[in-house]
Amino acid sequence: MAAAPPPSATFFDHVYAVVRRVPRGRVTTYGAVAQMLGRPRGARAVGYALNALKDHGDDSAYGDVPWQRVINAQGRISIVNRAFDAAEQAARLRAEGVAVDDTLRIDLDRFGWDGLDWAEVAAIIGRR
DNA sequence: ACAGTGACAACAT
DNA sequence: TATGTTGCCACTG
């Protein structure tokens, strides 16, 4: 398991580590992930990190990242402009029991993930 | 080292 | 409520 990247790991790697901890059937937001990693305003970087997963398509180490479980703060699938990917994200989520609205909206009160606690995050980013 | 870029978020109209 | 603008952060060339 590669859950705890070394301190030299980039922010992207930290993002992947956190997303891999999101339970099946649950979702979280870009902002929440960023905040867990100590970047309350780094939501955009989180989205960029997940986007970069495509560049590692062949690498299985990145293939197990459940990117579909990360949505925006409004509880919606945020890649609407890329209809193909949005549809796939919705399909993947429904496949694991998450109710996705016709407008690609999800009830965060029902499916939202609590997130990692202090110690879990420390193990990932290697800080305290 | 610098500017451009992007699966976000918050605020203003 | 809906649309537009501004601030953020980290990676790439």
Side-chain angles (χ1 to χ4, degrees):
Chain A
M1 77 146 170
S8 60
T10 65
F11 181 78
F12 279 25
D13 292 314
H14 294 158
V15 170
Y16 303 147
V18 170
V19 176
R20 274 194 272 256
R21 302 284 177 73
V22 182
R24 194 165 184 286
R26 290 297 186 90
V27 298
T28 188
T29 68
Y30 301 98
V33 173
Q35 190 161 44
M36 277 182 246
L37 295 176
R39 268 63 178 186
R41 305 294 177 243
R44 206 169 185 184
V46 174
Y48 194 39
L50 297 185
N51 173 54
L53 284 173
K54 291 198 290 286
D55 301 330
H56 296 284
D58 295 1
D59 195 329
S60 61
Y62 296 92
D64 67 345
V65 178
W67 53 269
Q68 72 274 21
R69 294 174 194 154
V70 184
I71 60 180
N72 67 27
Q74 302 180 351
R76 299 214 210 161
I77 288 176
S78 191
I79 47 182
V80 186
N81 282 332
R82 304 187 175 187
F84 184 85
D85 292 331
E88 176 157 345
Q89 182 168 8
R92 284 180 176 232
L93 289 173
R94 284 168 178 149
E96 48 185 74
V98 177
V100 182
D101 197 279
D102 285 335
T103 62
L104 301 181
R105 190 170 63 191
I106 297 162
D107 187 345
L108 285 172
D109 286 331
R110 288 176 53 198
F111 303 101
W113 176 47
D114 290 335
L116 297 173
D117 59 36
W118 180 89
E120 302 262 29
V121 175
I124 291 174
I125 68 178
R127 287 178 189 289
R128 58 185 169 76

